[in-house]
Amino acid sequence: MNNPPTSSTDEKNNLADLPLEQLIQKLQTSINGLTQQQAKDRLSEYGYNELAQQKVNPLLKFLSYFWGPIPWLIEIAVIFSAAVGDWADFIIIFILLLGNGLIGFFEEKSAGDAVEALKAQLALNATAKRDGQWIAVPAKELVPGDIIRLKIGDVLPADGKLLDCDPVKIDQAALTGESLPVNRGTGEQVYSGSVVKKGQAEMVVNGTGVNTFFGRTAKLVAQTETVSHFQKAVLKIGNFLIIIAAILITIIVLERLFSSEIDVIRLLKFCLVLTVASIPVAMPTVLSVAMSVGAQNLAKKNAVVTRLSSIEELSGMNMLCSDKTGTLTLNQLTLGDPFTMPGVSADEMILVAALASQTQDADPIDSTIMAGLENPDQLQTYKVKHFTPFDPVSKRTEANLQGTDGKTFKTSKGAPQVILDLAPNKTDIETEVNQVIEDYAKRGYRALGVARTDEKGQWQFLGVLSLFDPPRSDSQLTIKEARKLGVPVKMVTGDQVLIAKETSHQLGLGQDVLDAKIFRETPASRLGTLDEEIIYADGFGQVFPEDKYHIVDVLQKHGYIVGMTGDGVNDAPALKKADAGIAVSGATDAARAAADIVLLTPGLSVIVDAIQLSRQIFARMTSYTLYRITATIQILLFTTLAILFFDSYPLTAIMIVFLALLNDGAIMTIAFDNTRIAKRPQQWNMPQILTIAGVLGVINVAATFLLYYIGRDHIKAFEEAIKLHPDGTTPLQTLIFMNIALLGMMTLYSVRVKGPFWSMPPAKPLAISTAISVLISTCLSIFGFFGLIQPIGFGWAAFNWGYCFIWLLIIDRSKIAVYDFFNHGTIGLGRRYQKIWARLKR
């Protein structure tokens, strides 16, 4: 057995500079590749073919959750408590600080682990020659000296030099920024992360892992995580709440500073804790949990989410452009009745087509032709001297063969018009052949031209094979379901327009199918009209890769949120451009790398599931947003009014901390709540959200303020307690604490549905968590808590429950009235309100 080559760093880096023959000698390999044992030895020597990920110390990661504006506020409150010797406050506020850190750490870890587990399903494989046989090998197990096969659409898994081959086109944009693919031939160096755009070749690996060009320059191919429309809206709402908090707390501080005998330390600690309780501390965690739950639910349906925020984009998607073959159709081709030229038998033409095919890569067309051979053993009597695979530019394959008599000839199959162009008698047979092709197309059949060279080396057109790819049984139903959800489907295919129309008719999509060549022929003066045709078309035929990108671009410019499916390397630009790029089952590495969602099973039905799931997530986030704005208005505005009108703190800092712990702990489970699936694409309606939250917030303030006013000035027990303990904790503060806790959870139950709060039961996790929350707040109020919360007893607790339930009915009726204002009887006023909001926003 040969020993592995020397592995010094300098020599590893210089392998790319060696000529091909010297490289093969240096790596002690051959065109037959390595043995399994050699590969195993070299794997130990060179390590796995992967970039070492920077490992973050879990302790440092955990500590990072205590660094930032929100943790700083809590930490300052902790320091103030310790400075004044208020150890009870110190302990509880410290628990709040620790709790926020633990929740953030474990939820992000859980979400990250889920995504990584899903992405692991997309691990790349390579076709390598081991022990003289081509086998599938995990890309990370490639080693220098391996011989691997490359084909169109492959992402190169390692650095290497091309063996004897025709020139191939390599897209190195991810590494070098070159806008156009480059030609590479025998003995030339190619790099990990590049994409094969045309041709096929074999390559000897000379660089893996950190020793690749990709690794040394640290130009990662991985997509940069982008912030979606949905996340931007949530962040804006968070900033809005922080601004409200800052304004009202500033008012409190100024009012207290001008009061007599002000306790500055107590004031600052109170305001810091009040800020923590009112700003959306849990918002990032709730969003993360909701997205990871959605990704895991989609994984159960064999759809891998590679970018979590794409689930959010799906909720607003209002146009889906779908590939035909393998997505809307079965991609299970069958041969129909062939058309042959005079003197040519059907069996002879199928044999020639089979000789122009290649079985190793399991191409559906090649496999169908092979299956049509009466005697597959015939192929063994021919020697393939050279094979040129299909590519989107030439639109045909070509094989150079040698028969048993030693004579050489060529065979070719591909687009009928392309094959027809090869024949010297094209003008004589063109009319008849085109009529045959058109007849096939009208029946939904694809046509495949077949030709071979004669003794003189001239091409002879043999005939046309017909291939039928039937629609999937679930496609028509899936399209109907998508339309019900407000997402029309446009079919995009490279097939002829007549085939596209027939397939579109069978799927119930409509007959307005555009020939994509119009994109290249339309003058600039008519581009506006062309855009309108694209918007209203049911589908597109004879589409080139750049046409897909153009379709997405036009739709986006006209306000559509676009989903695009694809499977080929040339679909990657359109998948990346789309708001939701979806790589279908069997997609190339390049397509999967560019997509946001990768389907592992054929068909579109899982996309409908994804749309429904994303809208459920949107509804949960809307519910959380309404609750959070309402709660912020309630606690901040009420506290401000109480201080201004009654010159006293209506809550203690400890009570505010308890409210934050109880509310944020319960709200996490909204990620699992039951929701109704919206029938239309969802987008943020800020006038509606702010109006509903504002109205409910003011109602909650009125409810709490009224209770505080009555308890302070008209209930003797509370009045006497305030006189006895003017600066301490009083039962009235406990009554208000319980009131805010109960109203908060009741408001959550109201805003989670658009109808009456009882119209849809909550999910079990939400019901349990909110029940625990209100049970704890009730028990704390009834029995007190070590002098920090004064007990009010069962009577006042029962009164508070009844009082809050009455206000829940008022809150719920008001919510429904606001929705009616926007959507029903007063919809004209609702639209006028939105127009006013739009003008103010500008």
Side-chain angles (χ1 to χ4, degrees), residues 120-158:
Q121 300 180 48
L122 304 181
L124 302 182
N125 288 322
T127 302
K129 188 173 278 190
R130 299 274 176 86
D131 294 322
Q133 300 293 322
W134 290 108
I135 62 171
V137 175
K140 73 173 188 175
E141 295 181 8
L142 292 176
V143 294
D146 260 326
I147 304 298
I148 64 174
R149 174 184 287 155
L150 306 173
K151 64 181 184 301
I152 186 170
D154 283 351
V155 176
L156 272 64

Tab-separated table of all heavy atoms in Angstrom, residues 120-158:
chain	number	residue	atom	x	y	z
A	120	ALA	N	-28.525	19.356	8.372
A	120	ALA	CA	-27.673	18.178	8.224
A	120	ALA	C	-28.234	17.220	7.178
A	120	ALA	O	-27.497	16.445	6.566
A	120	ALA	CB	-27.530	17.464	9.565
A	121	GLN	N	-29.551	17.293	6.962
A	121	GLN	CA	-30.162	16.446	5.941
A	121	GLN	C	-29.706	16.840	4.535
A	121	GLN	O	-29.864	16.076	3.587
A	121	GLN	CB	-31.682	16.532	6.017
A	121	GLN	CG	-32.261	16.080	7.348
A	121	GLN	CD	-33.762	16.184	7.346
A	121	GLN	OE1	-34.437	15.742	6.427
A	121	GLN	NE2	-34.317	16.775	8.395
A	122	LEU	N	-29.160	18.050	4.406
A	122	LEU	CA	-28.744	18.546	3.100
A	122	LEU	C	-27.241	18.380	2.878
A	122	LEU	O	-26.676	18.984	1.977
A	122	LEU	CB	-29.104	20.028	2.965
A	122	LEU	CG	-30.573	20.375	3.184
A	122	LEU	CD1	-30.789	21.858	3.010
A	122	LEU	CD2	-31.452	19.588	2.246
A	123	ALA	N	-26.567	17.576	3.725
A	123	ALA	CA	-25.120	17.405	3.591
A	123	ALA	C	-24.781	16.936	2.186
A	123	ALA	O	-25.430	16.049	1.627
A	123	ALA	CB	-24.627	16.402	4.629
A	124	LEU	N	-23.739	17.529	1.583
A	124	LEU	CA	-23.378	17.240	0.210
A	124	LEU	C	-22.660	15.904	0.096
A	124	LEU	O	-21.896	15.516	0.980
A	124	LEU	CB	-22.489	18.353	-0.337
A	124	LEU	CG	-23.076	19.763	-0.312
A	124	LEU	CD1	-22.080	20.736	-0.924
A	124	LEU	CD2	-24.385	19.805	-1.071
A	125	ASN	N	-22.888	15.246	-1.007
A	125	ASN	CA	-22.157	14.033	-1.346
A	125	ASN	C	-21.362	14.284	-2.619
A	125	ASN	O	-21.654	15.202	-3.389
A	125	ASN	CB	-23.106	12.842	-1.567
A	125	ASN	CG	-23.706	12.355	-0.270
A	125	ASN	OD1	-23.031	12.338	0.762
A	125	ASN	ND2	-24.967	11.958	-0.308
A	126	ALA	N	-20.353	13.474	-2.840
A	126	ALA	CA	-19.560	13.548	-4.058
A	126	ALA	C	-19.472	12.148	-4.651
A	126	ALA	O	-19.587	11.149	-3.943
A	126	ALA	CB	-18.163	14.086	-3.753
A	127	THR	N	-19.279	12.087	-5.958
A	127	THR	CA	-19.073	10.800	-6.628
A	127	THR	C	-17.567	10.616	-6.818
A	127	THR	O	-16.944	11.330	-7.612
A	127	THR	CB	-19.792	10.764	-7.981
A	127	THR	OG1	-21.190	11.015	-7.776
A	127	THR	CG2	-19.628	9.401	-8.637
A	128	ALA	N	-16.997	9.704	-6.050
A	128	ALA	CA	-15.548	9.484	-6.065
A	128	ALA	C	-15.239	8.062	-6.503
A	128	ALA	O	-16.049	7.147	-6.315
A	128	ALA	CB	-14.952	9.755	-4.690
A	129	LYS	N	-14.046	7.886	-7.084
A	129	LYS	CA	-13.635	6.549	-7.512
A	129	LYS	C	-12.770	5.950	-6.403
A	129	LYS	O	-11.673	6.428	-6.127
A	129	LYS	CB	-12.866	6.609	-8.833
A	129	LYS	CG	-12.590	5.231	-9.426
A	129	LYS	CD	-11.965	5.330	-10.819
A	129	LYS	CE	-13.023	5.548	-11.886
A	129	LYS	NZ	-12.463	5.408	-13.261
A	130	ARG	N	-13.285	4.921	-5.770
A	130	ARG	CA	-12.580	4.205	-4.719
A	130	ARG	C	-12.512	2.727	-5.097
A	130	ARG	O	-13.534	2.144	-5.485
A	130	ARG	CB	-13.300	4.357	-3.373
A	130	ARG	CG	-13.410	5.802	-2.855
A	130	ARG	CD	-12.181	6.205	-2.085
A	130	ARG	NE	-12.209	7.601	-1.650
A	130	ARG	CZ	-12.777	8.031	-0.514
A	130	ARG	NH1	-13.372	7.179	0.290
A	130	ARG	NH2	-12.724	9.313	-0.202
A	131	ASP	N	-11.316	2.169	-4.989
A	131	ASP	CA	-11.104	0.771	-5.384
A	131	ASP	C	-11.558	0.521	-6.816
A	131	ASP	O	-12.098	-0.542	-7.146
A	131	ASP	CB	-11.847	-0.188	-4.428
A	131	ASP	CG	-11.263	-0.156	-3.014
A	131	ASP	OD1	-10.027	-0.063	-2.885
A	131	ASP	OD2	-12.054	-0.214	-2.057
A	132	GLY	N	-11.392	1.554	-7.670
A	132	GLY	CA	-11.715	1.416	-9.089
A	132	GLY	C	-13.185	1.532	-9.410
A	132	GLY	O	-13.577	1.394	-10.570
A	133	GLN	N	-14.052	1.813	-8.408
A	133	GLN	CA	-15.496	1.896	-8.628
A	133	GLN	C	-16.004	3.276	-8.228
A	133	GLN	O	-15.547	3.862	-7.240
A	133	GLN	CB	-16.232	0.829	-7.796
A	133	GLN	CG	-15.832	-0.603	-8.103
A	133	GLN	CD	-16.256	-1.028	-9.502
A	133	GLN	OE1	-17.341	-0.649	-9.972
A	133	GLN	NE2	-15.419	-1.816	-10.169
A	134	TRP	N	-16.953	3.782	-9.022
A	134	TRP	CA	-17.576	5.063	-8.669
A	134	TRP	C	-18.582	4.836	-7.550
A	134	TRP	O	-19.503	4.027	-7.681
A	134	TRP	CB	-18.283	5.676	-9.867
A	134	TRP	CG	-17.367	6.184	-10.950
A	134	TRP	CD1	-17.180	5.622	-12.178
A	134	TRP	CD2	-16.520	7.324	-10.884
A	134	TRP	NE1	-16.259	6.341	-12.901
A	134	TRP	CE2	-15.833	7.398	-12.123
A	134	TRP	CE3	-16.251	8.282	-9.913
A	134	TRP	CZ2	-14.918	8.398	-12.403
A	134	TRP	CZ3	-15.342	9.286	-10.199
A	134	TRP	CH2	-14.686	9.341	-11.424
A	135	ILE	N	-18.421	5.555	-6.451
A	135	ILE	CA	-19.332	5.433	-5.320
A	135	ILE	C	-19.654	6.826	-4.776
A	135	ILE	O	-18.925	7.777	-5.002
A	135	ILE	CB	-18.742	4.557	-4.185
A	135	ILE	CG1	-17.454	5.191	-3.637
A	135	ILE	CG2	-18.501	3.139	-4.654
A	135	ILE	CD1	-16.930	4.505	-2.391
A	136	ALA	N	-20.778	6.901	-4.062
A	136	ALA	CA	-21.152	8.157	-3.404
A	136	ALA	C	-20.401	8.257	-2.083
A	136	ALA	O	-20.414	7.322	-1.278
A	136	ALA	CB	-22.656	8.211	-3.163
A	137	VAL	N	-19.735	9.377	-1.887
A	137	VAL	CA	-18.936	9.598	-0.684
A	137	VAL	C	-19.354	10.934	-0.070
A	137	VAL	O	-19.509	11.923	-0.800
A	137	VAL	CB	-17.425	9.641	-1.032
A	137	VAL	CG1	-16.596	9.983	0.202
A	137	VAL	CG2	-16.983	8.317	-1.618
A	138	PRO	N	-19.567	11.000	1.254
A	138	PRO	CA	-19.826	12.305	1.869
A	138	PRO	C	-18.711	13.278	1.519
A	138	PRO	O	-17.531	12.940	1.610
A	138	PRO	CB	-19.858	11.992	3.368
A	138	PRO	CG	-20.243	10.547	3.449
A	138	PRO	CD	-19.605	9.901	2.252
A	139	ALA	N	-19.087	14.477	1.111
A	139	ALA	CA	-18.091	15.455	0.658
A	139	ALA	C	-17.046	15.738	1.726
A	139	ALA	O	-15.886	15.992	1.420
A	139	ALA	CB	-18.790	16.756	0.251
A	140	LYS	N	-17.432	15.651	2.981
A	140	LYS	CA	-16.457	15.975	4.038
A	140	LYS	C	-15.390	14.897	4.186
A	140	LYS	O	-14.382	15.104	4.856
A	140	LYS	CB	-17.171	16.201	5.367
A	140	LYS	CG	-17.704	14.946	6.044
A	140	LYS	CD	-18.222	15.305	7.435
A	140	LYS	CE	-18.582	14.044	8.219
A	140	LYS	NZ	-18.963	14.390	9.616
A	141	GLU	N	-15.586	13.710	3.537
A	141	GLU	CA	-14.613	12.632	3.641
A	141	GLU	C	-13.665	12.568	2.447
A	141	GLU	O	-12.878	11.645	2.314
A	141	GLU	CB	-15.335	11.291	3.808
A	141	GLU	CG	-16.101	11.203	5.128
A	141	GLU	CD	-16.798	9.867	5.318
A	141	GLU	OE1	-16.556	8.951	4.483
A	141	GLU	OE2	-17.588	9.723	6.265
A	142	LEU	N	-13.752	13.568	1.546
A	142	LEU	CA	-12.814	13.616	0.433
A	142	LEU	C	-11.415	13.964	0.943
A	142	LEU	O	-11.258	14.714	1.910
A	142	LEU	CB	-13.260	14.656	-0.588
A	142	LEU	CG	-14.543	14.350	-1.380
A	142	LEU	CD1	-14.889	15.519	-2.276
A	142	LEU	CD2	-14.390	13.068	-2.187
A	143	VAL	N	-10.411	13.416	0.263
A	143	VAL	CA	-9.013	13.667	0.648
A	143	VAL	C	-8.204	13.973	-0.604
A	143	VAL	O	-8.608	13.617	-1.723
A	143	VAL	CB	-8.407	12.444	1.373
A	143	VAL	CG1	-9.088	12.210	2.701
A	143	VAL	CG2	-8.479	11.199	0.486
A	144	PRO	N	-7.055	14.652	-0.474
A	144	PRO	CA	-6.181	14.867	-1.630
A	144	PRO	C	-5.810	13.537	-2.281
A	144	PRO	O	-5.464	12.575	-1.602
A	144	PRO	CB	-4.954	15.553	-1.012
A	144	PRO	CG	-5.505	16.264	0.185
A	144	PRO	CD	-6.553	15.342	0.730
A	145	GLY	N	-5.918	13.514	-3.612
A	145	GLY	CA	-5.665	12.288	-4.358
A	145	GLY	C	-6.926	11.599	-4.826
A	145	GLY	O	-6.884	10.738	-5.713
A	146	ASP	N	-8.068	11.956	-4.264
A	146	ASP	CA	-9.344	11.382	-4.713
A	146	ASP	C	-9.638	11.837	-6.137
A	146	ASP	O	-9.357	12.982	-6.523
A	146	ASP	CB	-10.487	11.836	-3.808
A	146	ASP	CG	-10.875	10.793	-2.774
A	146	ASP	OD1	-10.800	9.602	-3.092
A	146	ASP	OD2	-11.245	11.189	-1.648
A	147	ILE	N	-10.214	10.930	-6.930
A	147	ILE	CA	-10.720	11.260	-8.256
A	147	ILE	C	-12.235	11.370	-8.139
A	147	ILE	O	-12.895	10.424	-7.701
A	147	ILE	CB	-10.350	10.182	-9.299
A	147	ILE	CG1	-8.841	9.957	-9.332
A	147	ILE	CG2	-10.877	10.581	-10.679
A	147	ILE	CD1	-8.023	11.161	-9.737
A	148	ILE	N	-12.780	12.530	-8.499
A	148	ILE	CA	-14.224	12.725	-8.380
A	148	ILE	C	-14.804	13.163	-9.714
A	148	ILE	O	-14.096	13.681	-10.577
A	148	ILE	CB	-14.576	13.759	-7.293
A	148	ILE	CG1	-14.050	15.146	-7.662
A	148	ILE	CG2	-14.033	13.325	-5.943
A	148	ILE	CD1	-14.491	16.229	-6.698
A	149	ARG	N	-16.105	12.924	-9.874
A	149	ARG	CA	-16.798	13.299	-11.107
A	149	ARG	C	-17.617	14.557	-10.858
A	149	ARG	O	-18.270	14.693	-9.824
A	149	ARG	CB	-17.723	12.170	-11.569
A	149	ARG	CG	-18.591	12.543	-12.763
A	149	ARG	CD	-19.551	11.440	-13.125
A	149	ARG	NE	-18.848	10.326	-13.746
A	149	ARG	CZ	-19.295	9.067	-13.741
A	149	ARG	NH1	-20.412	8.777	-13.113
A	149	ARG	NH2	-18.620	8.116	-14.341
A	150	LEU	N	-17.575	15.464	-11.812
A	150	LEU	CA	-18.333	16.706	-11.743
A	150	LEU	C	-19.328	16.753	-12.895
A	150	LEU	O	-18.996	16.360	-14.010
A	150	LEU	CB	-17.401	17.919	-11.842
A	150	LEU	CG	-16.236	17.979	-10.841
A	150	LEU	CD1	-15.315	19.137	-11.180
A	150	LEU	CD2	-16.762	18.115	-9.427
A	151	LYS	N	-20.529	17.236	-12.607
A	151	LYS	CA	-21.528	17.403	-13.658
A	151	LYS	C	-22.232	18.726	-13.471
A	151	LYS	O	-22.082	19.386	-12.445
A	151	LYS	CB	-22.525	16.241	-13.660
A	151	LYS	CG	-23.363	16.133	-12.414
A	151	LYS	CD	-24.302	14.941	-12.510
A	151	LYS	CE	-25.242	14.848	-11.304
A	151	LYS	NZ	-24.557	14.727	-10.020
A	152	ILE	N	-23.006	19.106	-14.456
A	152	ILE	CA	-23.671	20.406	-14.433
A	152	ILE	C	-24.535	20.530	-13.172
A	152	ILE	O	-25.254	19.605	-12.799
A	152	ILE	CB	-24.517	20.606	-15.709
A	152	ILE	CG1	-25.083	22.028	-15.753
A	152	ILE	CG2	-25.620	19.578	-15.806
A	152	ILE	CD1	-25.714	22.378	-17.094
A	153	GLY	N	-24.408	21.660	-12.499
A	153	GLY	CA	-25.180	21.915	-11.290
A	153	GLY	C	-24.454	21.588	-10.012
A	153	GLY	O	-24.905	21.969	-8.933
A	154	ASP	N	-23.326	20.878	-10.092
A	154	ASP	CA	-22.588	20.513	-8.879
A	154	ASP	C	-21.860	21.712	-8.290
A	154	ASP	O	-21.281	22.533	-9.021
A	154	ASP	CB	-21.556	19.421	-9.170
A	154	ASP	CG	-22.189	18.044	-9.300
A	154	ASP	OD1	-23.394	17.931	-9.000
A	154	ASP	OD2	-21.480	17.111	-9.690
A	155	VAL	N	-21.875	21.812	-6.977
A	155	VAL	CA	-20.997	22.731	-6.265
A	155	VAL	C	-19.721	21.957	-5.953
A	155	VAL	O	-19.772	20.889	-5.351
A	155	VAL	CB	-21.642	23.232	-4.959
A	155	VAL	CG1	-20.661	24.107	-4.183
A	155	VAL	CG2	-22.920	23.995	-5.255
A	156	LEU	N	-18.581	22.476	-6.397
A	156	LEU	CA	-17.329	21.753	-6.198
A	156	LEU	C	-17.062	21.573	-4.706
A	156	LEU	O	-17.029	22.561	-3.955
A	156	LEU	CB	-16.158	22.501	-6.842
A	156	LEU	CG	-15.882	22.164	-8.325
A	156	LEU	CD1	-17.055	22.563	-9.201
A	156	LEU	CD2	-14.610	22.848	-8.802
A	157	PRO	N	-16.845	20.331	-4.275
A	157	PRO	CA	-16.669	20.081	-2.841
A	157	PRO	C	-15.244	20.288	-2.361
A	157	PRO	O	-14.984	20.234	-1.156
A	157	PRO	CB	-17.086	18.616	-2.703
A	157	PRO	CG	-16.711	18.005	-4.012
A	157	PRO	CD	-16.922	19.074	-5.044
A	158	ALA	N	-14.291	20.470	-3.279
A	158	ALA	CA	-12.880	20.622	-2.899
A	158	ALA	C	-12.144	21.303	-4.038
A	158	ALA	O	-12.680	21.489	-5.133
A	158	ALA	CB	-12.266	19.250	-2.606
